[in-house]
Amino acid sequence: MEELLGPGLGQVRVFLLHDDNKPRKLRHNLGHSRLLTFGGAYSNLIRAVAEAGARHGIETIGVIRGEEHLPLNPTLARAAACGMTLTYLDRASYRLKHTGEVQARLRARWGDDVVILPEGGSNAAAVRGCAELPGEIEDDYDVICCPVGTGGRWRASRRGCRRASGRSGSRC
């Protein structure tokens, strides 16, 4: 952790932990042979799933919002280089990606055994992985602040804080 210093902080001590939550979200989602996930053309999750798939021998499919644009941008080029199959959904269908109809079409195309990770990667297994973070912080703390995209890390951190709250000085 890195302490942030500044005259405006007064007596408050602020520590910054650079923690990439995508590996945490994926940790408990990697026990499958095929993963499908969603994201935009610059999605961190698309890249992280592709890299995890390459590392662990998992087939990965990235459902990208919008139309294909060539040449691929660096994020999608990296995902493809890692072996991820890229497919595209028009924006109207993409907004409905969570519905049974769209997911049934995806399963018909990619197989009933495909595990579908939601956009952002937040599912029950991801929450388990992110909930481990507060318990890994060795110093006492009063508050944990975290960025919120889909809300998975925040929900998980709250769960992890409840587990770690027995330690002196820590609460969320």
Side-chain angles (χ1 to χ4, degrees):
M1 279 199 286
E2 167 190 354
E3 185 169 10
L4 300 179
L5 303 172
L9 292 174
Q11 299 296 318
V12 175
R13 296 183 72 197
V14 177
F15 293 88
L16 180 62
L17 174 65
H18 298 277
D19 184 70
D20 183 0
N21 73 332
K22 295 308 181 195
R24 290 182 182 283
K25 285 183 172 184
L26 293 176
R27 180 179 299 153
H28 299 291
N29 276 300
L30 295 178
H32 308 284
S33 61
R34 184 182 302 159
L35 294 175
L36 178 148
T37 194
F38 304 90
Y42 293 91
S43 168
N44 290 329
L45 180 66
I46 292 291
R47 182 176 175 146
V49 167
E51 290 176 353
R55 195 170 319 124
H56 297 283
I58 299 168
E59 180 185 351
T60 58
I61 300 118
V63 179
I64 311 304
R65 178 183 58 243
E67 303 74 33
E68 180 179 29
H69 294 283
L70 297 174
L72 296 175
N73 69 41
T75 301
L76 296 182
R78 175 68 179 150
C82 287
M84 178 176 267
T85 301
L86 301 176
T87 187
Y88 298 82
L89 271 182
D90 64 86
R91 292 175 188 280
S93 296
Y94 192 88
R95 281 190 292 274
L96 301 172
K97 66 190 169 297
H98 62 283
T99 64
E101 178 185 337
V102 172
Q103 292 203 1
R105 284 195 338 233
L106 291 169
R107 287 188 190 286
R109 179 172 179 191
W110 300 106
D112 287 332
D113 64 332
V114 71
V115 173
I116 298 178
L117 299 179
E119 185 173 31
S122 292
N123 62 10
V127 169
R128 247 186 1 262
C130 289
E132 296 165 357
L133 175 62
E136 295 171 9
I137 299 172
E138 295 178 0
D139 298 314
D140 288 339
Y141 56 85
D142 293 317
V143 177
I144 291 180
C145 300
C146 65
V148 177
T150 58
R153 175 187 276 190
W154 178 80
R155 286 189 306 275
S157 293
R158 296 271 305 152
R159 181 177 293 171
C161 283
R162 286 193 292 273
R163 286 189 203 127
S165 65
R167 293 197 329 235
S168 169
S170 62
R171 66 181 190 275
C172 292

